[in-house]
Structure formats: C-alpha cells, structure tokens
Amino acid sequence: AQTVTQSQPEMSVQEAETVTLSCTYDTSESDYYLFWYKQPPSRQMILVIRQEAYKQQNATENRFSVNFQKAAKSFSLKISDSQLGDAAMYFCAHAGGTSYGKLTFGQGTILTVHP
Amino acid sequence: DAEITQSPRHKITETGRQVTLACHQTWNHNNMFWYRQDLGHGLRLIHYSYGVQDTNKGEVSDGYSVSRSNTEDLPLTLESAASSQTSVYFCASSDYTTGELFFGEGSRLTVL
C-alpha cells in the first residue's frame, strides 16, 4: 500500500521569501503520479502542481516548483516570492499509474504567510 | 464550465439517522470518488466508481455506501450516522489520462 508523509504540520514564511514544504512517500509501483494540492480557508481543493514519475525534470508552475528525488522517494514543494494568498493547507498526494485518480494523501501542512 | 456540485454544503443530523450526500459532475468523467477530511489524517478514500454500475470500497468504507446509476452522479449514503462520521466530505472526479482529481466544494456533516 502507498503511504504519503508530510512531517511538517505547520510552516511559516515572510511575504516575498521562499519556503519549502516536505513530502515523502512509499510505493511499490514504478509508474505513478505525484501532486501538491492547496486548500485555502474556502475549503476548495486546488491543484498546484503535478509530477509524472517517469519524467526526470522537476515540474514548475510559475512561483511553484518541486524537487523530485525518485530514489529517495521525496517530493518537496518550493514556493518562491511568497504572497499572502499562498496561505493555506497544502497536501501532497500520490497516485499509482493505473489508479485512475485514486489518490493517497499526506496529513497536510498549514502554511502561514506573514506580511 | 464543467464542475462538480455537492449538496448539502452543511448538514447537522442525529446519531442513527440515514444521511445522503449528493454529488453531480458535468466533466463527463467515468471515475468518481468520495473522500473524507479529518485533521491529522488528510483526505481518506471512502468509495469510488470507475463507471456506471461499478462501485468499490476505499480505505474507510465501513458505514458508508454508494450507487452509480449514471455517469454524472455518485451519492454517498450513511445508513446509520455515527458521531465518528462527523467530517468534511469531498466528492471528486478524475481525468482518465493524468489521474488528476477535480473536487467539489465539500460538505460539512455534523452528527450529534
């Protein structure tokens, strides 16, 4: 069974600074996807970034990038130039290549952004 | 725009009552899922469906059931609500090729 672990229950960052959220996972599958989802106070789940395991290049979406270390089963999220609107709960998630959307989520990290 | 709609958004019920949470999607996705969100646990899978008449148990399926009679809807039923089922429930559907989940807004259920 897959497991996803987020070891940082809470993180904080100053506006305009950079912060990194950690995530490790365990899987026996060779083909899989990894995700970071953002959940603001509105409760809506918003996809931040997606990484295919077969791609060695780290995914990037504007100020958001990942450090994907496949051998170490690590998938951290870096937020650059942090903004007040980045304050939210962040979830790391894993899906097997044939799971068709059946995700395993981590426990979440609450990110606070200080002005 | 395509979307997923959940109803009700908030519900308070009593222990032992039957509760149904509705989920309707217009993405035309075959795959649909129900998750519950609890502090310290993230989101955990309750039930899922890969198409009409297909249903499968997830990690925390005890006390819950689903049925899939069409592509658009996957209602979640709590046969006899328990206080341990107080939670926020999310319905989602997925893109077949990428596994990305598209979520509804969530339904907060309180069982007294």
Side-chain angles (χ1 to χ4, degrees):
Chain A
Q2 294 97 354
T3 59
V4 177
T5 303
Q6 295 177 247
S7 59
Q8 306 155 318
E10 298 182 21
M11 291 285 285
S12 64
V13 64
Q14 290 292 132
E15 196 174 6
E17 297 295 311
T18 295
V19 64
T20 298
L21 307 185
S22 300
C23 173
T24 58
Y25 60 94
D26 191 19
T27 182
S28 57
E29 301 188 60
S30 58
D31 179 26
Y32 54 90
Y33 299 93
L34 296 166
F35 306 86
W36 279 98
Y37 278 88
K38 170 186 177 181
Q39 186 181 45
S42 67
R43 207 165 65 196
Q44 182 67 39
M45 293 287 287
I46 303 165
L47 178 66
V48 174
I49 203 164
R50 178 181 68 240
Q51 174 81 42
E52 291 91 338
Y54 68 88
K55 291 185 177 180
Q56 293 186 343
Q57 185 173 7
N58 289 325
T60 300
E61 289 288 342
N62 300 314
R63 298 182 295 106
F64 298 88
S65 61
V66 298
N67 183 5
F68 174 45
Q69 301 289 328
K70 190 172 184 178
K73 294 182 179 177
S74 171
F75 183 61
S76 60
L77 175 69
K78 185 173 80 171
I79 305 174
S80 303
D81 186 24
S82 296
Q83 300 175 0
L84 295 177
D86 295 334
M89 174 83 86
Y90 287 82
F91 291 101
C92 178
H94 167 284
T98 57
S99 294
Y100 305 125
K102 197 171 68 170
L103 270 60
T104 299
F105 287 85
Q107 303 91 329
T109 297
I110 299 172
L111 177 66
T112 302
V113 182
H114 298 288
Chain B
D1 287 345
E3 61 180 0
I4 298 179
T5 305
Q6 293 184 230
S7 62
R9 297 290 310 278
H10 300 87
K11 185 172 181 64
I12 300 174
T13 191
E14 296 177 343
T15 302
R17 291 191 178 269
Q18 184 182 79
V19 176
T20 296
L21 304 179
C23 175
H24 179 82
Q25 55 105 355
T26 58
W27 287 99
N28 199 32
H29 288 155
N30 283 326
N31 306 336
M32 295 185 70
F33 307 82
W34 275 103
Y35 289 84
R36 61 177 287 174
Q37 181 179 4
D38 303 288
L39 194 62
H41 293 279
L43 281 76
R44 292 178 291 174
L45 183 62
I46 305 171
H47 280 286
Y48 60 100
S49 168
Y50 286 153
V52 176
Q53 302 301 329
D54 176 73
T55 61
N56 306 278
K57 294 181 178 180
E59 179 188 359
V60 290
S61 60
D62 288 348
Y64 303 94
S65 64
V66 294
S67 61
R68 187 88 179 272
S69 59
N70 58 53
T71 300
E72 295 80 17
D73 299 290
L74 187 71
L76 177 71
T77 297
L78 289 69
E79 299 293 343
S80 177
S83 58
S84 60
Q85 295 176 309
T86 292
S87 187
V88 176
Y89 292 86
F90 284 95
C91 180
S93 67
S94 75
D95 178 85
Y96 181 88
T97 56
T98 66
E100 175 185 347
L101 282 177
F102 297 81
F103 286 87
E105 310 97 323
S107 296
R108 180 178 294 278
L109 176 67
T110 302
V111 182
L112 300 177

